[in-house]
Amino acid sequence: GCNKTIQTSPGYLGTYKTSQIRGLWMGCSNAIYQVNPLSQDRIQFCDCSIDAVRENYEPEWMLEMNEKKVKELQTVVTLKCNKWRMRG
């Protein structure tokens, strides 16, 4: 038999609690809703953003955010999740 392992999901760093993921997703969704309540891309963008966080940062990294971390996170999410990458 064949014993190959095929990874079907992104490689995530660490283990995020479900409540952490839900909180991050809700924060993303609410932020977009405040800017553009009619956004059709909100769900896809927030899913992508949370994937980017989980792929690049351990859960502990998110505990104490500061201006430098916020800018780094914004860059990572923008590079992964801007519209032309999402639809490409």
Side-chain angles (χ1 to χ4, degrees):
C2 182
N3 290 331
K4 282 188 180 178
T5 300
I6 299 173
Q7 186 173 352
T8 57
S9 63
Y12 296 134
L13 297 177
T15 302
Y16 282 81
K17 294 178 183 175
T18 302
S19 60
Q20 288 174 305
I21 293 169
R22 288 180 180 162
L24 290 168
W25 199 95
M26 187 183 299
C28 174
S29 181
N30 287 341
I32 293 172
Y33 184 81
Q34 288 177 2
V35 174
N36 183 2
L38 302 177
S39 173
Q40 297 296 311
D41 296 327
R42 186 171 73 230
I43 292 170
Q44 286 178 306
F45 181 80
C46 291
D47 284 350
C48 182
S49 297
I50 301 313
D51 284 348
V53 168
R54 294 176 71 197
E55 290 167 2
N56 291 283
Y57 303 105
E58 297 279 346
E60 296 76 23
W61 187 87
M62 299 293 293
L63 294 177
E64 293 186 31
M65 294 301 288
N66 57 41
E67 189 174 336
K68 182 180 176 185
K69 284 183 170 183
V70 169
K71 287 181 180 181
E72 179 182 332
L73 183 58
Q74 287 172 334
T75 300
V76 167
V77 168
T78 299
L79 289 173
K80 179 176 175 67
C81 303
N82 62 22
K83 284 186 179 186
W84 68 269
R85 287 186 186 265
M86 285 176 58
R87 295 193 177 153

